[in-house]
Amino acid sequence: MPANGDAAAKADKLSGIEEEADMYDAFAPHVDTSQITIITDSPAGKKVALKTFSDVQQLLQQGKKREVKTAIRENAWPINSPIRSQLWPALCSQHQNGKSMLDGFYWDMVNQVFGTTELPDKPIMLPPFVDSTHCLPYHLTRKGRAVADRVVSVLGYACPDITYSPSLYPITSLLLHFMSEEECYHCMASLVAAKEKVFITQTKLLHEVTWKTVMQIAKKHAKSAVMHLQRLCPGQKIERIFMDWCWWILGGLPFPHLVRVMDCYFHEGIKVFYRVSLAILIIFQKNITSSNSEWNSETVKNDIDNAIPKFCKTISVSPTKLLRTAFNIRALSSTYISRVFLKTEMVLKSRSVLSGSKQLVRSRSSDNLPTSQSQVNIQMMSHTLTIRELFTLWSWLPVRITMYQPVLLYTTEEHGCSLTTFYVRVEQHEPTLLMIKTCNNEVFGAYCSSRWFERNVKDDKGQRQAYFGTGETFLFSLYPERAKYPWVGIEGDTKHGHGSELFMAADAKMITIGGGEGQAIWMDENIRYGKTDKCQTFNNPPLCPSGDFEIRVLEVYGFVGV
């Protein structure tokens, strides 16, 4: 009888899991749930009373962040629990900076970027900050991956300052398991803009700071594990192992473990990843020094670079044990982690300043040539520039700007023809490079020294200034003529007074560059038609023979790190 009773209890438990799996299907329409193993940390036969979303929400509304932290760490909701469809959006929204987004905001952005809310048949071109080798889909269906691509692309459109963020795509994919596309976007926007805590690094510098921070704290708080690794790879730099630290978690851990880690991460920030990476090191060392483990020193030594990610895929402890190990590491305070992070950031920044000054000298000695990376970036992005034209244009830029990588902020080919969109993507960047290709294949443009946002700046009387900018602004033509037209004031020619200082002007209806008895470049609000005249600011001829032009492509570039 007892055996039959056990079997019945086991059958009940399994049927309960199947029911929950059906629930998971209901709120994860873009997920191939047949690929996901449903597990629970609860011992067989025991029913654990888990907190409901209402319980956690009440703590959130009362501002009891410490109690929320404890509740999330201790409640091992199975991955198919419907709680996350409410819990994760609530946790992410508490980090949002500024006003919350209005309903429909995301779909308006989708329309601006793609011209439709229908999912395209062709693959979506991802922003340059994405690391294509780590676009982890986590069992998303083909349609689900297209949705993830779209969310990430709109984020890139809305946040042009993100230059390198390899973890952004995987986290988007994870969110889509438990919520709609629109909610996923709002969650990601909150994490990207968070001020109090770091969630997602957005530059190469900060990405490097994170792995060096993990290495530093591991040398102190997982000391024996680090020393063991060093003994296994004598003469090799241990840095190589730590460079991939976040992929131990995002790319290595089984899905149920990862989901539990993300529960804590969405509340506490990147420090959860730091702790979990140390826990992985500690558990890894225990396994390779254990006599009855398949992992031994010889196995690890033969493939040291991939040993930890491989170990994570078949990690021998439960999600609860992993988190318990992570949060039981003593004396690893948030203050200490922040101190190590800031010190590492300062060291790296000071090195980049030193190398930057060397680069400036090198730039002068090599005629301001663009770096090979700049050439690759331009060739991948541009619909107007050839390499020869790029070299010409680069020689005209201010020397300090040639040190930076160009980034495409706006192109009519991808972002549509709208002045509103132009301002959203471009207005906070300084300087910018505008490139126009007409329907007659003429190519010309302007280097604009000031932010386009300055069109909104008011003078002492509360009135918007008509013109703004500085004498560093210049015009250029690349085809059919090749010429640069600098500000007339550089040669001391200011006989036209005010007319020689009309650099940039803009409002909701038009953009103008250069003024005084004519406008060097004028474009309409639809970025479709324009005109070009001789003007006093640059003493230029019309930049295309007919004077009036129809725009085939407008491209606007910024410079990363300026």
Side-chain angles (χ1 to χ4, degrees):
M1 274 299 284
N4 289 340
D6 285 347
K10 191 173 182 183
D12 284 345
K13 189 178 174 210
L14 285 171
S15 69
I17 287 172
E18 283 164 12
E19 283 171 24
E20 286 195 324
D22 291 341
M23 257 191 291
Y24 185 72
D25 281 333
F27 60 77
H30 304 311
V31 182
D32 183 0
T33 50
S34 65
Q35 300 299 311
I36 299 172
T37 307
I38 306 296
I39 70 164
T40 175
D41 268 347
S42 310
K46 282 190 181 177
K47 275 280 185 183
V48 178
L50 295 168
K51 284 197 183 294
T52 64
F53 174 65
S54 300
D55 297 331
V56 182
Q57 187 182 39
Q58 195 173 1
L59 294 173
L60 281 169
Q61 288 170 345
Q62 292 167 354
K64 295 181 177 178
K65 292 189 176 182
R66 186 179 291 275
E67 288 84 347
V68 172
K69 180 171 73 175
T70 305
I72 294 170
R73 288 182 182 184
E74 292 179 355
N75 281 259
W77 298 285
I79 61 164
N80 53 329
S81 168
I83 188 174
R84 289 185 183 86
S85 62
Q86 295 174 290
L87 178 65
W88 282 13
L91 293 176
C92 293
S93 67
Q94 67 180 329
H95 308 298
Q96 72 190 18
N97 183 39
K99 293 179 182 176
S100 59
M101 289 177 224
L102 299 172
D103 285 346
F105 173 84
Y106 172 68
W107 294 112
D108 288 345
M109 294 283 280
V110 169
N111 253 322
Q112 280 189 41
V113 179
F114 299 103
T116 176
T117 55
E118 296 294 317
L119 271 175
D121 296 326
K122 294 180 181 177
I124 292 168
M125 188 176 168
L126 293 169
F129 61 71
V130 171
D131 179 351
S132 58
T133 58
H134 289 112
C135 290
L136 305 174
Y138 302 117
H139 317 297
L140 291 178
T141 60
R142 187 178 171 188
K143 183 180 178 183
R145 289 197 294 275
V147 169
D149 290 353
R150 182 159 69 178
V151 171
V152 170
S153 295
V154 175
L155 263 170
Y157 171 86
C159 309
D161 293 336
I162 303 176
T163 55
Y164 185 71
S165 188
S167 65
L168 196 147
Y169 191 103
I171 294 170
T172 300
S173 295
L174 285 164
L175 287 168
L176 285 171
H177 278 259
F178 302 103
M179 62 191 71
S180 70
E181 180 177 351
E182 186 174 21
E183 282 181 310
C184 172
Y185 176 82
H186 287 185
C187 286
M188 289 303 295
S190 297
L191 298 180
V192 163
K195 295 294 182 194
E196 287 185 22
K197 292 184 173 80
V198 175
F199 286 89
I200 297 170
T201 55
Q202 296 163 48
T203 65
K204 272 201 169 163
L205 177 88
L206 288 182
H207 181 71
E208 187 177 351
V209 171
T210 57
W211 73 255
K212 290 194 168 175
T213 298
V214 171
M215 188 170 68
Q216 286 284 98
I217 61 177
K219 284 177 178 177
K220 182 176 179 181
H221 294 277
K223 191 175 180 180
S224 60
V226 174
M227 287 173 69
H228 198 84
L229 280 173
Q230 285 175 324
R231 282 196 296 273
L232 291 174
C233 53
Q236 291 186 45
K237 286 195 171 181
I238 202 162
E239 281 90 339
R240 275 175 33 208
I241 296 169
F242 281 97
M243 280 179 187
D244 284 336
W245 77 281
C246 68
W247 305 117
W248 305 348
I249 301 164
L250 290 170
L253 288 178
F255 194 70
H257 291 67
L258 179 55
V259 169
R260 282 291 292 123
V261 170
M262 298 309 288
D263 287 341
C264 303
Y265 166 87
F266 289 130
H267 182 59
E268 300 180 55
I270 202 170
K271 73 167 190 178
V272 170
F273 282 4
Y274 292 155
R275 281 186 169 274
V276 170
S277 64
L278 265 58
I280 288 168
L281 283 174
I282 292 163
I283 296 164
F284 177 69
Q285 191 215 354
K286 279 183 183 172
N287 271 259
I288 58 177
T289 53
S290 168
S291 56
N292 60 357
S293 170
E294 62 179 284
W295 289 86
N296 58 57
S297 296
E298 210 53 47
T299 314
V300 173
K301 207 183 288 185
N302 292 335
D303 192 12
I304 192 72
D305 289 345
N306 300 308
I308 298 176
K310 281 182 179 176
F311 170 76
C312 289
K313 287 182 188 298
T314 56
I315 196 162
S316 55
V317 301
S318 69
T320 294
K321 179 72 184 291
L322 175 65
L323 288 179
R324 198 171 290 145
T325 306
F327 294 123
N328 282 348
I329 298 170
R330 293 172 180 269
L332 185 55
S333 67
S334 297
T335 309
Y336 167 71
I337 293 172
S338 297
R339 199 162 60 241
V340 174
F341 187 95
L342 288 170
K343 187 177 178 183
T344 308
E345 186 181 5
M346 284 169 64
V347 169
L348 287 178
K349 276 186 175 175
S350 64
R351 281 183 195 161
S352 72
V353 167
L354 287 171
S355 65
S357 61
K358 289 174 190 169
Q359 198 172 352
L360 182 62
V361 174
R362 215 168 36 241
S363 176
R364 281 186 177 136
S365 66
S366 59
D367 290 328
N368 278 1
L369 294 182
T371 64
S372 57
Q373 187 58 52
S374 296
Q375 293 176 42
V376 170
N377 288 354
I378 292 282
Q379 287 303 289
M380 284 175 65
M381 296 183 290
S382 181
H383 291 268
T384 62
L385 277 177
T386 65
I387 278 289
R388 187 168 167 229
E389 288 169 339
L390 170 61
F391 276 97
T392 301
L393 189 53
W394 215 257
S395 70
W396 293 338
L397 294 175
V399 171
R400 73 180 191 285
I401 301 302
T402 63
M403 295 191 296
Y404 300 102
Q405 297 292 342
V407 58
L408 184 62
L409 302 174
Y410 171 83
T411 167
T412 49
E413 292 283 292
E414 288 180 39
H415 306 125
C417 299
S418 158
L419 209 46
T420 306
T421 309
F422 171 92
Y423 290 138
V424 167
R425 295 192 61 83
V426 169
E427 65 179 11
Q428 296 295 351
H429 289 263
E430 179 182 301
T432 51
L433 195 60
L434 269 69
M435 195 90 57
I436 296 166
K437 187 173 190 175
T438 71
C439 289
N440 293 328
N441 289 324
E442 296 123 342
V443 180
F444 55 86
Y447 173 85
C448 303
S449 62
S450 300
R451 296 183 307 158
W452 287 98
F453 181 77
E454 288 190 27
R455 74 189 188 282
N456 297 319
V457 175
K458 295 177 181 175
D459 60 21
D460 297 339
K461 296 176 183 174
Q463 296 178 329
R464 288 185 180 182
Q465 52 187 354
Y467 278 87
F468 51 93
T470 71
E472 206 172 47
T473 302
F474 65 83
L475 305 173
F476 60 85
S477 171
L478 291 172
Y479 185 81
E481 298 294 324
R482 192 166 298 214
K484 176 186 178 183
Y485 303 102
W487 174 46
V488 293
I490 288 176
E491 302 297 328
D493 179 7
T494 53
K495 62 187 176 191
H496 298 294
H498 179 62
S500 58
E501 294 189 0
L502 304 176
F503 301 107
M504 301 160 63
D507 58 28
K509 298 289 184 187
M510 63 85 204
I511 277 179
T512 296
I513 300 164
E517 295 184 0
Q519 296 159 320
I521 296 175
W522 178 92
M523 287 184 288
D524 71 358
E525 62 188 303
N526 298 313
I527 310 185
R528 188 173 174 196
Y529 295 108
K531 61 180 182 177
T532 170
D533 300 308
K534 179 177 180 177
C535 77
Q536 293 174 347
T537 309
F538 301 104
N539 193 29
N540 59 287
L543 299 173
C544 66
S546 64
D548 294 319
F549 56 87
E550 187 175 352
I551 298 168
R552 176 177 288 174
V553 183
L554 169 68
E555 294 175 348
V556 185
Y557 293 89
F559 298 88
V560 177
V562 177

